[in-house]
Amino acid sequence: MTGQQRIVVLGAGYAGLSAARRLAKTRDTTITVVDTRAEFVERVRLHQAAAGRPIRRWDLREMLERKGIEYIRARVTAIHPDAKRVDLDGEWTIGYDTLVYALGSAADRTSVPGVAEYAHFVATPEDVRDLPAGPVIVVGAGSTGIELAAELAESRRDSGGVTLLGSEEPGAWLSERAVEHIRATLTRLGVEIRAGVKVAEVLPEGVRLVDGTVLPAAAVVWTAGFTVPDLARVAGLDVDEQGRVRTDDTLRSLSHPDIYAAGDAALVAGPGGRPLRMACATALPTGSYVARAIRARARGTEPKPMSFRYHLQCLSLGRHDAVIQLLNADDTPAQRVIRGRTGAWVKENIVRFAGKAAGLR
């Protein structure tokens, strides 16, 4: 690069903040972050907020401008790669020399009938709102569903109970020891687990399963699946069937080399060629790497390909228990599992480290 360059980062989640913080150290460059939110909330704590626990919020403008980064609170309405500009709501436009696409993901609200109309969600801060008193059904036995069910059961012991529905056993992708501990802890907390079931429809007061069974509830929380914004597809970028930007081994768009992608909205090859999963554990390192790749090219050198592997996966089971699953190099579960209060301590420290890596502390 020569002269003053403008790098625009779309999204102020873990990936966007991680990239922006490191890019702010680049000489002869202005960094602009665009996001619709006034505050940053740690996404990995949203299940706590849904259970009525207070969680901290950070003022994005104050946090970014303190680091010399321009912050624009706006919604991205279109990207024009050929013209190197981004349209924002309010009918105004910003140009860029390099774009970082880190818009993250949101809850999939189209999976089955009634989801958008009647379900609650915990995928974004805007989703979280008070749940009514009475029994709650959590749909989806993945990480989010497990953490939410445990948190709700622990904090709403007199509210009518929590039921966790999933097509598989909670934590089925983990080791046998981890799965056993998850089931035992959820059961101890009073969660009713229904594995091997699928929801056909969300109703105003419950769900209907594919076998016709109707399960009543005061609230249904949907955690089964995520989607990414359609902006990249509409802009003509090379994307996969979900709309994630296809990238090379330096996280640069395959179709538009002035655009990099990180986090949930990027398709990044991981161990064994499998795409990296949507997670904080993916967002932070990909955001950090994008910044290093851009800075390397600004110095006239070619960055080394991104090399990344997961080391562990963490699931909280209320405030006093957790599962820390160690992983092999190919992302399969290892035999070692850290559980109980020690696991909860490890999980909390990992979450705090993630916040620090994003520039929150």
Side-chain angles (χ1 to χ4, degrees):
M1 294 182 184
T2 57
Q4 193 74 16
Q5 301 290 313
R6 186 174 197 179
I7 301 174
V8 174
V9 179
L10 303 184
Y14 286 108
L17 291 178
S18 179
R21 184 169 75 92
R22 287 162 177 78
L23 285 169
K25 302 174 184 178
T26 309
R27 297 180 58 185
D28 301 322
T29 302
T30 60
I31 312 299
T32 300
V33 174
V34 181
D35 197 283
T36 59
R37 301 181 179 101
E39 299 175 318
F40 176 84
V41 177
E42 293 171 286
R43 189 172 186 175
V44 292
R45 295 192 189 273
L46 290 181
H47 62 285
Q48 298 174 29
R53 302 187 190 277
I55 61 174
R56 187 175 175 183
R57 297 170 180 269
W58 284 263
D59 184 283
L60 278 169
R61 187 177 304 280
E62 177 184 336
M63 182 175 69
L64 290 169
E65 290 183 352
R66 189 171 63 240
K67 300 177 185 297
I69 300 168
E70 179 187 21
Y71 177 64
I72 298 176
R73 187 184 178 189
R75 182 174 64 88
V76 179
T77 58
I79 301 170
H80 304 279
D82 294 338
K84 290 191 176 183
R85 76 172 196 270
V86 176
D87 293 345
L88 308 177
D89 55 1
E91 299 184 355
W92 58 303
T93 296
I94 58 172
Y96 64 84
D97 296 295
T98 301
L99 185 71
V100 177
Y101 189 87
L103 288 174
S105 62
D108 183 355
R109 300 167 188 259
T110 62
S111 302
V112 301
V115 171
E117 294 84 0
Y118 305 122
H120 296 250
F121 305 92
V122 291
T124 66
E126 294 77 24
D127 291 331
V128 178
R129 60 185 192 272
D130 292 338
L131 298 175
V136 175
I137 290 176
V138 177
V139 182
S143 300
T144 303
I146 292 168
E147 292 193 322
L148 178 63
E151 203 80 34
L152 289 173
E154 188 175 79
S155 63
R156 294 164 53 100
R157 291 189 180 276
D158 301 322
S159 65
V162 177
T163 300
L164 178 62
L165 306 181
S167 58
E168 295 183 311
E169 181 75 10
W173 66 96
L174 302 175
S175 67
E176 184 177 347
R177 291 182 65 205
V179 172
E180 289 174 351
H181 186 73
I182 290 169
R183 174 170 275 275
T185 304
L186 290 176
T187 300
R188 173 175 55 78
L189 291 171
V191 176
E192 179 185 358
I193 301 169
R194 292 204 177 193
V197 300
K198 292 186 178 182
V199 174
E201 182 181 7
V202 178
L203 307 171
E205 297 179 347
V207 298
R208 178 180 290 111
L209 305 181
V210 293
D211 65 3
T213 302
V214 174
L215 302 177
V220 175
V221 188
W222 193 266
T223 70
F226 294 89
T227 60
V228 301
D230 206 33
L231 285 163
R233 185 195 308 278
V234 173
L237 275 67
D238 187 359
V239 299
D240 70 354
E241 62 279 359
Q242 291 182 274
R244 295 179 295 178
V245 177
R246 297 183 186 274
T247 63
D248 64 13
D249 58 11
T250 66
L251 303 196
R252 200 158 56 166
S253 164
L254 291 178
S255 57
H256 295 80
D258 296 312
I259 298 176
Y260 293 76
D264 290 357
L267 183 66
V268 181
R274 297 188 303 273
L276 297 183
R277 56 178 176 265
M278 295 183 182
C280 166
T282 305
L284 286 167
T286 55
S288 177
Y289 174 83
V290 161
R292 293 199 302 271
I294 292 172
R295 293 179 67 190
R297 289 190 168 112
R299 296 191 300 267
T301 61
E302 190 63 19
K304 295 180 179 179
M306 180 175 175
S307 177
F308 174 76
R309 59 157 291 189
Y310 298 108
H311 292 275
L312 48 81
Q313 188 169 5
C314 310
L315 282 81
S316 63
L317 299 170
R319 294 296 79 218
H320 307 291
D321 205 329
V323 163
I324 311 298
Q325 173 70 68
L326 275 71
L327 301 171
N328 298 313
D330 63 356
D331 200 25
T332 58
Q335 288 299 311
R336 188 178 179 194
V337 177
I338 303 172
R339 300 168 292 181
R341 289 184 176 272
T342 302
W345 180 85
V346 173
K347 170 71 186 292
E348 178 61 25
N349 279 276
I350 288 173
V351 170
R352 291 183 181 184
F353 173 80
K356 184 177 180 180
L360 303 181
R361 298 174 177 87

